[in-house]
Amino acid sequence: MIGCDSLRPGGTPPQPDISFAPIEDDDTIYIYLGPLEGDVTSPDISFLFDDAYMVRSQPAGDPDNNGVDDVLVYTYFDVTTQNRALLFAGPLPELPDRITSEDAVMVIYDDDAADYFDTKYINQPGDMDGDGLDDILIASSSANYDAGTVSLFLGTSGIFEITEADVTISGDASAQRVGAAASPAGDVDGDGYEDLLVRTDDRDDERATRRLRGNALSS
């Protein structure tokens, strides 16, 4: 269970909403809109994926800058099938309407089975380049025969292959596993740009953390 900022337009202050992403063998995600209290039996928003074995959801911030938060969904079938990160822009239609893959405003896909996404680290790192739009981070420590890759897509929409990322951090050796973990670091150097923490996990079981400075992304 994960928390999202409000997916409804307006509201002062916005109430947090709750998204429930089922485990394997299910293809539905439900969102319960806040405020919540007591026994809640029915969701407000439903995603239906009939083309995926596993789905996971993640708050996405507001990459389209319309004042309503979006939802990032990872869909996965198996290592030989195209895996995707799908961005759905809020406000989202409520039940009885069902949201499907075709409703995504942004699709990031991987056609190479050797580079399939890692499911644990697809998230929203904030506004890394200072353009006012939230960005999308995909960490794939198993990419390139476990060398690992972290891909950053700066706030936008459209259809992209994973190799078309705006910023890429790649491992330089097999089994280095760059992107074993990745997360926002805040603004650790005080320059006004969000920074990024990336962990490696190499073949010798040595672990290291790299920091990407957000100001390196600005033009």
Side-chain angles (χ1 to χ4, degrees):
M1 186 174 290
I2 58 175
C4 307
D5 287 336
S6 182
L7 299 169
R8 289 190 175 107
T12 306
Q15 296 290 332
D17 304 323
I18 299 297
S19 170
F20 172 68
I23 58 175
E24 297 181 8
D25 296 325
D26 208 331
D27 57 3
T28 304
I29 291 175
Y30 299 108
I31 293 179
Y32 297 81
L33 298 176
L36 297 174
E37 60 182 35
D39 294 328
V40 180
T41 59
S42 300
D44 299 287
I45 297 173
S46 175
F47 296 79
L48 176 64
F49 299 96
D50 57 7
D51 54 355
Y53 176 77
M54 180 195 303
V55 291
R56 299 191 182 194
S57 62
Q58 176 74 31
D62 186 17
D64 57 356
N65 200 31
N66 70 343
V68 182
D69 283 333
D70 307 327
V71 174
L72 184 64
V73 175
Y74 166 83
T75 66
Y76 169 85
F77 190 77
D78 59 40
V79 297
T80 64
T81 303
Q82 184 184 93
N83 305 308
R84 298 167 298 175
L86 307 173
L87 181 69
F88 297 89
L92 299 172
E94 299 184 23
L95 288 169
D97 294 332
R98 304 292 291 271
I99 302 170
T100 69
S101 300
E102 295 181 355
D103 296 312
V105 298
M106 182 178 184
V107 179
I108 303 170
Y109 67 94
D110 184 5
D111 265 341
D112 188 345
D115 290 345
Y116 61 89
F117 292 174
D118 288 348
T119 62
K120 291 188 292 185
Y121 298 107
I122 297 180
N123 58 34
Q124 189 276 311
D127 179 13
M128 294 287 298
D129 58 345
D131 65 351
L133 301 176
D134 290 326
D135 306 318
I136 293 175
L137 172 71
I138 299 176
S140 305
S141 63
S142 55
N144 298 321
Y145 305 99
D146 288 344
T149 300
V150 174
S151 304
L152 183 67
F153 290 82
L154 304 178
T156 186
S157 62
I159 300 176
F160 305 92
E161 190 169 1
I162 189 69
T163 55
E164 298 179 282
D166 295 288
V167 178
T168 302
I169 305 171
S170 299
D172 54 14
S174 177
Q176 187 178 14
R177 296 183 62 81
V178 168
S183 63
D187 180 15
V188 299
D189 55 356
D191 64 354
Y193 291 90
E194 297 292 324
D195 304 320
L196 180 67
L197 284 174
V198 176
R199 201 195 85 190
T200 66
D201 189 357
D202 68 23
R203 70 184 75 183
D204 297 321
D205 201 32
E206 295 177 355
R207 294 173 173 82
T209 300
R210 302 179 180 181
R211 178 172 61 87
L212 175 65
R213 295 177 60 185
N215 64 3
L217 310 180
S218 60
S219 58

